[in-house]
Amino acid sequence: MSVPFGLAGLTGAPGLPMASIENRAAEAILAAYKKDPKNAITWSKAPTNNQVEGGGAPSDFSSFGVDGELRSKPDIGAPGGNIYSAYPVAKGSYTLMSGTSMATPYYVGSQALYYQAKKSKPSGADVRRAFKNTATISKNWKSKTYTSAVKQGAGLVNKITIKNTGKKTETYTLSHVAADALNSYSKGNSFPAPIPVIEADYASVKFSANKVKIPAGKSVKVTLTFTEPKNGDAKHFPLYSGYVIATPSNEGSPAVHVPYIGLKGAVRDVPMIDTDVGAPGLAYTKSNGAFNFKTAAPTIQVRYGSHSPDATIRVHDAKTDAFLGFVNSRKWGSAFGATGRMTMLDEYHNLNIRNYDWHGQVFKTADPTATPVLLPAGAYKLVVASQKKLTKGVYPADFEIFELPTVNVTA
């Protein structure tokens, strides 16, 4: 059998031996067999060293940033692929495992060693800054470019030697290395692609001084001027990234680097609702679109493609357009407040769509502690309005707005 990403091993039961090899090697064997079925596989008795597929590069299962407010995430990485790990004794005591559960102990141990070497108690923020500034920047598998900071954060946590550099002046040379740009909207889609397209789209950086001399215990400010990439479609909102590196003249001192992330295009234009699937919309429980809230209710269907600081469903009088309140759903509760991007599929592997059933109750204000009120019979207009990123939240200017068909409620 073939398995992905560098895993290999022998297993099976008495009389039924089994072997597993990594996926690319299996594909190569199959291709050789199809070319000439007489090809034979022989086992060598001599030990050999082979580079593991993906070794030294961010794992394919690693998540992508940034967070909903465009803050840099992840912060840092640690080895987490094919780790020889403890396992239940009944199942062999040890096995190869992958995931954040493998990377976390490595990072925690590194932080413990840092505390031990410092013989002090630096704050968590200080430790994170030190690790991010000295991590090893990784490249993609068999790539000449660095992996985007959107995926690897500041890089792979590195073993560092703590030295007292407070008694001498140090000169730093400043430089810049670009990383991959990631495009989640390459086809003009309103829902970001699960795996972004990697683009050769790099920013440039100019420094107010290429070298700085810093006396012991002092700091120097350097102005950085970033120019966004020339390539890349601003309508697709590509995320470009890279690292600013400060290399000391003293060979005994570690170089430090600072990751940066930029977005080409206007952040407020990033789509909030996944309109590719026809959302938002109404699902009717009666064909004529007329309801009596005692026996039936319309369902507002929404699919959030991006984080919104305030995702709301508003109810207006269909004749006067007067605002009457926010929808109160029996399943989801008040339809206002911050919301994150939805996953592609739900737990049943169906397209993940949020259904707000509305039985006529509204919140007069955006106060979840208030008591919702029941509206009387009438004609109502439902408005799905999502606040755009990094805006002040002024309605309607700062919202992406969709008006749904009129809902008629009978007595």
Side-chain angles (χ1 to χ4, degrees):
M1 63 178 178
S2 63
V3 293
F5 216 65
L7 186 63
L10 295 172
T11 182
L16 185 62
M18 297 178 64
S20 62
I21 58 175
E22 59 93 15
N23 193 61
R24 290 188 183 182
E27 290 178 346
I29 292 173
L30 290 174
Y33 174 79
K34 290 178 181 178
K35 184 176 182 180
D36 185 357
K38 295 182 180 180
N39 280 323
I41 299 176
T42 58
W43 296 96
S44 172
K45 296 181 179 180
T48 59
N49 294 321
N50 296 282
Q51 186 177 14
V52 175
E53 177 188 353
S59 299
D60 59 350
F61 55 77
S62 295
S63 60
F64 292 91
V66 289
D67 74 0
E69 295 295 332
L70 300 184
R71 289 182 291 261
S72 175
K73 293 293 176 185
D75 289 315
I76 203 166
N82 293 340
I83 304 299
Y84 193 54
S85 173
Y87 209 57
V89 175
K91 296 184 178 181
S93 299
Y94 298 94
T95 190
L96 290 175
M97 300 183 71
S98 300
T100 54
S101 296
M102 299 295 101
T104 300
Y106 190 100
Y107 179 84
V108 172
S110 300
Q111 185 160 337
L113 290 173
Y114 183 86
Y115 283 137
Q116 182 183 42
K118 288 288 289 184
K119 294 182 173 62
S120 63
K121 295 182 179 180
S123 68
D126 289 337
V127 176
R128 180 171 60 180
R129 186 181 303 109
F131 276 37
K132 289 182 71 172
N133 289 160
T134 57
T136 299
I137 308 173
S138 301
K139 294 182 178 180
N140 285 321
W141 173 245
K142 291 186 176 180
S143 173
K144 295 182 180 180
T145 61
Y146 288 96
T147 303
S148 170
V150 176
K151 185 173 179 65
Q152 69 168 316
L156 184 67
V157 62
N158 193 15
K159 296 179 180 178
I160 57 176
T161 301
I162 308 299
K163 292 185 178 181
N164 182 8
T165 58
K167 295 182 179 179
K168 59 183 180 181
T169 298
E170 185 64 87
T171 300
Y172 285 90
T173 301
L174 302 178
S175 59
H176 162 249
V177 295
D180 292 328
L182 300 181
N183 189 339
S184 296
Y185 298 90
S186 59
K187 297 181 180 180
N189 44 293
S190 61
F191 191 88
I195 301 177
V197 176
I198 297 177
E199 298 180 339
D201 200 15
Y202 312 121
S204 59
V205 183
K206 290 184 178 180
F207 304 95
S208 58
N210 292 322
K211 283 190 176 183
V212 290
K213 181 179 288 187
I214 306 176
K218 300 293 182 179
S219 61
V220 173
K221 291 184 179 181
V222 179
T223 300
L224 282 67
T225 303
F226 290 84
T227 301
E228 70 176 8
K230 294 181 180 180
N231 298 322
D233 190 340
K235 295 180 180 179
H236 293 167
F237 318 109
L239 287 162
Y240 57 90
S241 65
Y243 302 85
V244 175
I245 301 176
T247 305
S249 57
N250 188 344
E251 294 182 357
S253 300
V256 296
H257 60 259
V258 178
Y260 70 86
I261 296 170
L263 181 141
K264 187 170 184 178
V267 178
R268 65 175 293 127
D269 292 338
V270 173
M272 299 289 104
I273 301 295
D274 180 13
T275 57
D276 295 339
V277 297
L282 277 176
Y284 294 99
T285 53
K286 288 188 177 180
S287 59
N288 59 8
F291 299 89
N292 182 319
F293 286 128
K294 296 179 181 179
T295 59
T299 299
I300 304 109
Q301 297 183 313
V302 183
R303 179 168 160 81
Y304 299 105
S306 188
H307 162 271
S308 174
D310 189 16
T312 61
I313 302 177
R314 300 164 179 252
V315 182
H316 293 249
D317 186 292
K319 295 180 180 180
T320 65
D321 201 32
F323 173 70
L324 302 176
F326 301 96
V327 162
N328 178 45
S329 168
R330 291 181 179 178
K331 180 178 181 180
W332 292 102
S334 56
F336 55 81
T339 187
R341 178 175 70 88
M342 296 168 66
T343 57
M344 180 66 72
L345 303 176
D346 63 17
E347 57 183 322
Y348 304 106
H349 301 287
N350 299 315
L351 191 65
N352 198 359
I353 296 178
R354 186 172 296 179
N355 295 303
Y356 291 88
D357 59 315
W358 186 49
H359 293 263
Q361 289 188 336
V362 297
F363 286 90
K364 291 291 186 178
T365 62
D367 179 7
T369 65
T371 301
V373 298
L374 180 64
L375 296 178
Y380 300 105
K381 180 175 67 176
L382 299 176
V383 179
V384 177
S386 305
Q387 184 184 344
K388 299 175 183 178
K389 299 178 187 295
L390 304 182
T391 60
K392 295 180 180 180
V394 177
Y395 186 84
D398 294 338
F399 283 73
E400 180 183 79
I401 296 174
F402 297 93
E403 294 186 4
L404 301 182
T406 298
V407 172
N408 296 299
V409 179
T410 60

